[in-house]
Amino acid sequence: MTVVQVDTEVTTGSPPPPERRRRGVPKSLWNALSVVLGVGVWWGFSLTGFDIPAPPEVLKRGGELIADGTLADDVLASLGRVLAGFVLGVALAIPVGFLMGWYGVARGLLEPWVQFFRTIPPLAIIPLAVVLMGIGETPKIFVIFLASFLACVIATFQGVVNVDKTLINAARVLGAKDGTIFARVVVPASTPFILVGMRVGLGSSWATLVAAELIAAQQGLGYRMQSAQLYYDLPTIFVGLISIGVLGLLMDRVLLLAERRLTNWQERR
């Protein structure tokens, strides 16, 4: 009979040190790499026969527009229109969305109209806006306002109706009145939805800008791009596109920062 001897190891010492957290590549480096790759692809297309200007050509044209002050004037004009329409749209969308989500009567009265106008592109409102409001700044700001309002009101409404009913019932059991429940439960729980709606509304505002500046504009990035189209001035069109993209990205990052500060109680990946 064979006896199998098993040696046992007695561990005497401190537990093994915890594994070091592996540091990943910073997000900013990935962003920079993405930009470099994007410019490289763009440059490659311009060299392979596609009728688009190369990055140096667009950079040169951008420098010329900056030097004579044209780009700064256009940026200020477009930014003013977008901010005015966007702020007005959000300021009205949030209370309307809360009313629709919290009160059944308001939902029944307002939701059909919101859904109706949501299916109509804001660009289709331009002819009516010109007839009713003239050719000044008002119709331009109005169509941008409409684009941001419709995106944000739906997000706010969804945020209110998606609040966990258990939280509301628990607050009522503890004796909280409707006003307290709304301020302490519904508003915080809806904030992530509202901020997402604001980001979507901001994108819609910039997307509507070019068409809004069709209305007898004399300055603006959209106006400059449309004027350049008549002369087949592709570098100027690209300067306008890049300017809109950069401004929209910076404004979106501001909203993203606000979202992180206001919803830091949420778990994130």
Side-chain angles (χ1 to χ4, degrees):
M1 177 169 144
T2 307
V3 178
V4 179
Q5 219 175 9
V6 179
D7 294 332
T8 57
E9 244 182 60
V10 180
T11 57
T12 60
S14 58
E19 295 182 3
R20 293 181 180 177
R21 289 186 64 183
R22 296 178 60 186
R23 292 184 179 179
V25 179
K27 185 180 177 182
S28 57
L29 289 181
W30 287 118
N31 291 339
L33 178 61
S34 176
V35 171
V36 171
L37 290 175
V39 172
V41 171
W42 167 21
W43 206 331
F45 275 118
S46 68
L47 295 175
T48 52
F50 285 88
D51 193 13
I52 57 175
E57 191 177 353
V58 174
L59 190 62
K60 178 183 176 183
R61 182 58 180 152
E64 294 170 355
L65 293 173
I66 292 173
D68 62 14
T70 301
L71 186 60
D73 292 340
D74 288 339
V75 166
L76 289 176
S78 294
L79 193 59
R81 290 167 186 144
V82 168
L83 284 175
F86 173 71
V87 170
L88 289 173
V90 169
L92 182 61
I94 291 176
V96 170
F98 277 133
L99 284 173
M100 288 171 54
W102 191 247
Y103 297 106
V105 174
R107 183 186 311 179
L109 292 173
L110 297 174
E111 187 179 13
W113 292 105
V114 170
Q115 296 295 347
F116 172 78
F117 282 105
R118 197 166 68 92
T119 60
I120 302 175
L123 308 185
I125 305 294
I126 288 178
L128 179 62
V130 171
V131 171
L132 296 178
M133 304 176 187
I135 58 174
E137 290 296 308
T138 304
K140 301 179 185 64
I141 294 173
F142 174 74
V143 293
I144 295 172
F145 152 81
L146 194 60
S148 62
F149 169 80
L150 292 172
C152 192
V153 71
I154 292 297
T156 305
F157 166 68
Q158 289 298 326
V160 176
V161 298
N162 284 336
V163 174
D164 191 348
K165 303 301 181 187
T166 304
L167 298 176
I168 296 176
N169 293 333
R172 285 203 171 109
V173 168
L174 294 173
K177 303 297 183 183
D178 279 354
T180 304
I181 294 172
F182 186 79
R184 298 292 184 89
V185 178
V186 176
V187 172
S190 305
T191 299
F193 289 85
I194 296 171
L195 290 167
V196 169
M198 289 175 65
R199 294 179 66 190
V200 175
L202 179 62
S204 300
S205 299
W206 280 107
T208 310
L209 171 71
V210 176
E213 291 183 340
L214 279 169
I215 309 172
Q218 299 300 318
Q219 285 182 328
L221 294 169
Y223 162 77
R224 194 66 53 194
M225 292 165 62
Q226 292 161 33
S227 299
Q229 178 190 3
L230 300 176
Y231 302 100
Y232 205 67
D233 185 0
L234 291 178
T236 299
I237 294 175
F238 268 70
V239 170
L241 287 172
I242 293 170
S243 300
I244 290 174
V246 169
L247 289 170
L249 180 63
L250 292 176
M251 292 176 70
D252 181 76
R253 287 296 177 265
V254 172
L255 288 178
L256 190 60
L257 179 62
E259 180 183 358
R260 288 175 178 169
R261 293 287 179 85
L262 294 173
T263 61
N264 54 8
W265 46 269
Q266 279 189 315
E267 292 186 3
R268 302 179 188 277
R269 289 186 60 185

